[in-house]
């Protein structure tokens, strides 16, 4: 006999990220203040974006453009983890990691929050996601409501509801 359950995940649709990158590249390409500047966004791995221009303030301007495009596509910008800007010669580059999965320290923090809330549910860490189960759907809804209130450093989504 299975109990109602759902999963807590932190996942980003990389298709949306790829589209946002294309749009951001197009916008930077047409902007007057970027005329003649070698500035581009590039997906360099499945979860890393390289942002490059000539000087660091341009990289920051580009990030604003990218964030705007990402928000328009319904992706939480907290999913972007910005690295430091590396400058070499006439090039400033920043690596931006795209959050995929819940790291174990954050997972443990969530488990503790749920436990401290004294709700009648079990929370289990399963790889990069968490499975929450309980007898009452109501208790499961309370877990989600509570986590939405918390200011966690990564965006969370809730899926795989089973009754």
């Amino acid at each position: 006999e299975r109990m109602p359950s759902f999963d807590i995940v932190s996942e980003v649709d990389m298709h949306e990220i790829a589209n946002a990158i294309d749009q951001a590249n197009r916008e930077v390409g047409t902007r007057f203040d970027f005329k003649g500047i070698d500035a581009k966004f590039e997906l360099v791995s499945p979860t890393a974006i390289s942002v490059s221009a000539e000087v660091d303030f341009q990289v920051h301007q580009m990030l604003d453009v990218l964030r705007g495009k990402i928000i328009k596509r319904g992706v939480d910008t907290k999913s972007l983890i910005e690295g430091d800007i590396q400058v070499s010669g006439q090039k400033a580059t920043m690596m931006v990691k795209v959050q995929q999965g819940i790291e174990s320290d954050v997972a443990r923090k969530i488990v503790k929050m749920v436990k401290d809330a004294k709700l009648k549910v079990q929370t289990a860490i399963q790889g990069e996601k968490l499975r929450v189960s309980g007898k009452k759907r109501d208790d499961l809804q309370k877990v989600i409501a509570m986590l939405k209130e918390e200011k966690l450093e990564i965006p969370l989504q809730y899926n795989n509801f089973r009754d």
Side-chain angles (χ1 to χ4, degrees):
E1 217 257 317
R2 235 186 25 220
M3 286 201 285
S5 68
F6 70 93
D7 293 339
I8 303 173
V9 298
S10 185
E11 288 165 3
V12 176
D13 181 347
M14 289 310 290
H15 184 66
E16 295 296 0
I17 297 286
N19 286 334
I21 288 172
D22 286 344
Q23 291 178 330
N25 270 324
R26 273 203 294 275
E27 179 172 322
V28 168
T30 59
R31 270 173 54 162
F32 180 75
D33 53 341
F34 278 94
K35 221 170 196 49
I37 289 165
D38 183 20
K40 66 175 190 294
F41 299 94
E42 213 178 344
L43 201 53
V44 290
S45 85
T47 58
I49 305 162
S50 144
V51 183
S52 61
E54 289 174 3
V55 290
D56 60 358
F57 86 88
Q58 292 166 337
V59 171
H60 287 292
Q61 285 178 306
M62 289 171 70
L63 281 169
D64 288 341
V65 172
L66 183 62
R67 277 192 215 103
K69 303 296 181 197
I70 283 175
I71 290 167
K72 271 206 181 86
R73 306 199 77 87
V75 176
D76 191 324
T77 55
K78 274 199 295 195
S79 302
L80 301 181
I81 303 146
E82 298 171 14
D84 295 324
I85 295 183
Q86 307 294 324
V87 181
S88 73
Q90 282 298 291
K91 202 173 176 125
T93 308
M94 179 193 283
M95 278 303 171
V96 179
K97 211 167 98 45
V98 182
Q99 175 70 41
Q100 293 289 27
I102 302 173
E103 277 138 24
S104 57
D105 52 335
V106 179
R108 284 192 297 271
K109 193 162 143 187
I110 294 170
V111 169
K112 187 180 176 342
M113 280 174 186
V114 175
K115 214 180 206 127
D116 291 348
K118 305 260 191 282
L119 297 166
K120 293 187 171 72
V121 297
Q122 283 77 51
T123 311
I125 298 173
Q126 299 187 335
E128 300 199 315
K129 63 181 187 179
L130 293 138
R131 167 77 41 92
V132 180
S133 53
K135 285 192 179 74
K136 291 203 200 93
R137 249 201 106 103
D138 236 28
D139 291 329
L140 299 184
Q141 299 290 358
K142 282 178 190 154
V143 171
I144 294 173
M146 176 191 84
L147 290 174
K148 282 184 172 164
E149 290 296 299
E150 293 293 335
K151 294 280 172 270
L152 290 156
E153 54 267 39
I154 61 169
L156 299 175
Q157 299 90 37
Y158 310 94
N159 64 24
N160 285 332
F161 283 89
R162 294 197 179 82
D163 261 330

